[in-house]
Amino acid sequence: MTIGIILLAAGASTRFGGKPKQLITFNGVTLVRRAGEMALAAELGGPVVVVVGGNKDVVVPQLDGRPVRIIG
């Protein structure tokens, strides 16, 4: 059995003052990149799908080169 992973990264960060929460860094890595890498590292056999929305133009480049499917 294969299991896919869905990362929800579509928030517009309106309650965070408009700065995309997905781009906050922890130990030099953005949260969305870290989450993507962890999902891929799980190796569950299914796709890793990232749902983007409000900050798509700045979030998607954080996942460049990674075998994830972008929706949004």
Side-chain angles (χ1 to χ4, degrees), residues 50 56 72:
V50 183
K56 178 180 180 176

Side-chain angles (χ1 to χ4, degrees), residues 18-72:
K19 180 181 178 186
K21 290 179 275 191
Q22 302 92 325
L23 301 184
I24 293 173
T25 59
F26 179 73
N27 290 335
V29 179
T30 62
L31 295 181
V32 71
R33 182 175 294 185
R34 181 178 299 277
E37 289 174 354
M38 291 177 72
L40 291 167
E43 296 183 1
L44 298 177
V48 174
V49 177
V50 183
V51 180
V52 296
N55 297 302
K56 178 180 180 176
D57 58 333
V58 293
V59 172
V60 172
Q62 293 296 312
L63 301 165
D64 281 351
R66 283 149 183 85
V68 299
R69 294 183 193 171
I70 304 292
I71 304 292

